[in-house]
Amino acid sequence: MKADAGHTPPLYFVEPSMVLGNQIVLARETYRHALAQRLSPGERFRAVLGETQYDAVVQEVLSGKITASIVGRTRVAPPPCRIHLYAALLKHQSLDLVVEKATELGMTSFTPVVTRRTIPRLTGEKALAKIERWARVAKAAAQQSGRGSLPEIREIRTLEEVFDSGVAGVPLLAHEHEGLTVDIDSATGGQTEASIIVGPEGGLDALEVERALEKGFIPVSLGPYILKAETAGIAAVAVLMSRMAGCSTTHLSSHRL
Amino acid sequence: MKADAGHTPPLYFVEPSMVLGNQIVLARETYRHALAQRLSPGERFRAVLGETQYDAVVQEVLSGKITASIVGRTRVAPPPCRIHLYAALLKHQSLDLVVEKATELGMTSFTPVVTRRTIPRLTGEKALAKIERWARVAKAAAQQSGRGSLPEIREIRTLEEVFDSGVAGVPLLAHEHEGLTVDIDSATGGQTEASIIVGPEGGLDALEVERALEKGFIPVSLGPYILKAETAGIAAVAVLMSRMAGCSTTHLSSHRL
């Protein structure tokens, strides 16, 4: 949606094996992604590996890989604000949409949560497959959004485990009971890191809400109406990115190494 | 996502033919929707017809219709804020998602817009079919979100037509050029009505942006990263609903007739 987005070189997250001296070799899914974007010889792109961003120029597009020469190195600046989303597991592919949109918007980490009204029960290999799927969705979304870092996709936790281990930054709970919620600006008060819990369809139950409040989670509203759980997850990140201190500054401003 | 949403009676938008004296008869798609929600005899629901909300109790569920007695009438309060979304046409079903999510969040009207980078060309019957489809999506989303009014789904317009006819409230343009955008709070300055243009993939072109600025549209940012057009449409409504004056008050507070 960025006007003239075509003028910003595309960005890819690469693996250590793809950086060879003064060359970068895009292979496998990164190659396919670059190919789909019609990256061609002579064009510039950005490649991020950990905290380093490489500026590169395509030399050769072969079947299966793209070879490029590194023309610059910068350190990726840390994100100016951090938003951690704790979203209840949802049926079908609903969380794919949340991961995709929340990543584009700037989410720092994503933790799927089991609550009392959560319907899907994911364990073992099924859980692992889901986590891997969300990581792929997040990577694709991060690349297309041009953000300089990947969101961390964490393991599935129960709500009690989240309460016990604690969360980073201001603890928030997406909640809809009028009269109970606190204004987001007051709740976050200039802080640049927050964690927000978003319940499943039907919401957290009364006992879970009570536990969250006991644990210091501050109830905030995402709007006056009843949102589907997936909409609430997306709106939570959109609204916090818009309202929290520092978030609106891009963290692509990096310094040359 | 609303905690205890189950305790709020479901809401349906009905047609004049469904209100008969002291009875309401849910038929056709409204019947199917109510059936899917397992509405059963003795249960309460809300039915909205224009500016009147009926409180009703189900008497009978027959094959094809649900008959209910009206037990109360209230006037639906006007929405405390109005957000009009002007979204560039997108490929495939992307705008369905925008209409659904923006309706849940509280959008007042939706106008699909043809811009220079717009790919789908919708005219005649195809355009009509799309508008009807978005109206159905909006109705379903409005019902499930419990909002007291339907968003207006308007006809497809070119961007020039939008500029020529003008828009309601503060004219905003979703824009990503750092340094050019104005803070949303300053742009809307306590107003309770705004119209926002969201461009297609690749954004508005430079000439269109220039025309928008000439016409008084204020460029605002929806966040630091490059958003897909569909994400931008959803984020625009989420962010404006969260930041504009009055928006966070529900307009379901109605007074008895």
Side-chain angles (χ1 to χ4, degrees):
Chain A
M1 214 279 313
K2 189 166 201 152
D4 304 315
H7 298 174
T8 310
L11 180 146
Y12 307 104
F13 294 96
V14 298
E15 295 154 33
S17 66
M18 294 179 181
V19 181
L20 306 158
N22 268 323
Q23 283 201 321
I24 287 186
V25 178
L26 303 181
R28 294 185 294 279
E29 57 170 323
T30 313
Y31 161 77
R32 287 190 293 275
H33 188 106
L35 209 67
Q37 293 184 319
R38 299 199 175 77
L39 193 68
S40 52
E43 283 183 345
R44 291 178 86 94
F45 67 89
R46 296 168 290 154
V48 170
L49 175 61
E51 288 177 1
T52 305
Q53 178 183 303
Y54 299 95
D55 294 310
V57 176
V58 177
Q59 296 174 303
E60 217 175 21
V61 180
L62 293 167
S63 125
K65 62 182 186 178
I66 290 172
T67 311
S69 37
I70 293 170
V71 296
R73 283 174 181 79
T74 47
R75 181 169 296 278
V76 176
C81 87
R82 299 169 67 85
I83 293 168
H84 308 277
L85 179 61
Y86 290 79
L89 284 173
L90 300 176
K91 282 194 283 188
H92 312 302
Q93 268 77 55
S94 296
L95 277 188
D96 289 15
L97 186 76
V98 175
V99 169
E100 179 188 308
K101 299 311 176 204
T103 299
E104 283 179 55
L105 287 160
M107 165 180 78
T108 296
S109 81
F110 175 77
T111 308
V113 180
V114 176
T115 69
R116 307 221 297 190
R117 290 197 184 128
T118 298
I119 292 166
R121 297 285 156 189
L122 288 175
T123 50
E125 292 206 355
K126 271 198 166 173
L128 209 64
K130 270 287 193 185
I131 302 276
E132 283 172 4
R133 182 186 172 85
W134 291 322
R136 282 195 304 277
V137 169
K139 185 174 173 182
Q143 287 182 167
Q144 89 82 31
S145 75
R147 51 182 274 178
S149 61
L150 286 171
E152 188 188 339
I153 308 294
R154 298 182 181 161
E155 282 178 29
I156 299 171
R157 293 273 170 249
T158 65
L159 195 58
E160 268 310 311
E161 285 169 341
V162 172
F163 290 155
D164 287 346
S165 60
V167 298
V170 182
L172 303 173
L173 171 68
H175 199 59
E176 298 298 326
H177 272 301
E178 250 187 298
L180 188 65
T181 57
V182 174
D183 178 74
I184 288 175
D185 296 338
S186 319
T188 59
Q191 297 295 305
T192 57
E193 183 164 29
S195 293
I196 186 161
I197 297 174
V198 174
E201 297 304 340
L204 299 184
D205 73 12
L207 207 69
E208 288 173 323
V209 170
E210 198 180 300
R211 286 280 292 143
L213 301 182
E214 272 171 28
K215 288 287 183 177
F217 282 81
I218 306 169
V220 293
S221 168
L222 300 174
Y225 306 115
I226 303 163
L227 302 177
K228 278 194 196 171
E230 60 176 34
T231 314
I234 299 166
V237 178
V239 165
L240 290 177
M241 284 296 296
S242 175
R243 297 187 59 164
M244 276 182 63
C247 285
S248 53
T249 327
T250 168
H251 74 281
L252 289 181
S253 43
S254 45
H255 60 271
R256 208 151 289 278
L257 292 179
Chain B
M1 212 279 312
K2 189 165 203 156
D4 305 316
H7 299 175
T8 310
L11 181 147
Y12 307 104
F13 294 96
V14 298
E15 295 153 32
S17 66
M18 293 180 182
V19 182
L20 306 158
N22 270 323
Q23 283 200 321
I24 288 186
V25 178
L26 304 180
R28 295 184 293 279
E29 56 171 322
T30 314
Y31 161 76
R32 286 190 294 274
H33 187 106
L35 209 65
Q37 293 185 318
R38 299 197 177 77
L39 193 68
S40 52
E43 284 184 345
R44 291 178 86 95
F45 66 90
R46 296 168 292 155
V48 170
L49 175 62
E51 288 175 2
T52 304
Q53 178 183 303
Y54 299 95
D55 295 310
V57 176
V58 177
Q59 296 174 302
E60 216 175 21
V61 180
L62 293 168
S63 123
K65 62 182 187 183
I66 290 173
T67 311
S69 37
I70 293 169
V71 296
R73 283 174 180 79
T74 47
R75 181 170 295 279
V76 176
C81 87
R82 298 169 67 84
I83 294 168
H84 308 276
L85 178 62
Y86 290 79
L89 284 173
L90 300 177
K91 281 194 284 188
H92 312 302
Q93 268 77 55
S94 296
L95 277 189
D96 289 15
L97 185 76
V98 175
V99 169
E100 179 188 307
K101 299 311 178 202
T103 299
E104 283 179 55
L105 287 160
M107 165 178 78
T108 297
S109 81
F110 175 78
T111 308
V113 179
V114 175
T115 69
R116 309 220 296 189
R117 290 196 184 128
T118 298
I119 292 164
R121 296 286 156 189
L122 288 174
T123 50
E125 292 206 356
K126 271 198 167 172
L128 208 62
K130 270 287 194 186
I131 303 275
E132 282 171 5
R133 181 185 173 86
W134 291 323
R136 282 197 303 276
V137 169
K139 185 175 172 180
Q143 287 182 165
Q144 88 84 30
S145 74
R147 50 180 275 177
S149 61
L150 285 171
E152 189 187 339
I153 308 294
R154 297 182 181 162
E155 282 178 27
I156 299 170
R157 294 271 170 249
T158 65
L159 194 58
E160 266 311 311
E161 286 171 339
V162 173
F163 291 155
D164 287 346
S165 60
V167 297
V170 182
L172 303 174
L173 171 68
H175 199 58
E176 300 297 325
H177 273 302
E178 253 186 297
L180 188 64
T181 58
V182 174
D183 177 72
I184 289 175
D185 297 336
S186 319
T188 60
Q191 297 295 304
T192 57
E193 184 164 27
S195 293
I196 187 161
I197 297 174
V198 174
E201 297 304 339
L204 299 182
D205 73 13
L207 207 69
E208 288 173 323
V209 171
E210 199 180 301
R211 285 280 293 145
L213 300 182
E214 272 172 27
K215 289 286 183 176
F217 281 80
I218 306 168
V220 292
S221 168
L222 300 174
Y225 305 115
I226 303 163
L227 301 178
K228 278 195 194 168
E230 60 176 32
T231 314
I234 299 166
V237 178
V239 165
L240 290 176
M241 283 296 295
S242 175
R243 297 186 58 163
M244 276 183 62
C247 286
S248 52
T249 326
T250 169
H251 76 281
L252 289 181
S253 43
S254 46
H255 61 269
R256 209 150 287 278
L257 291 179

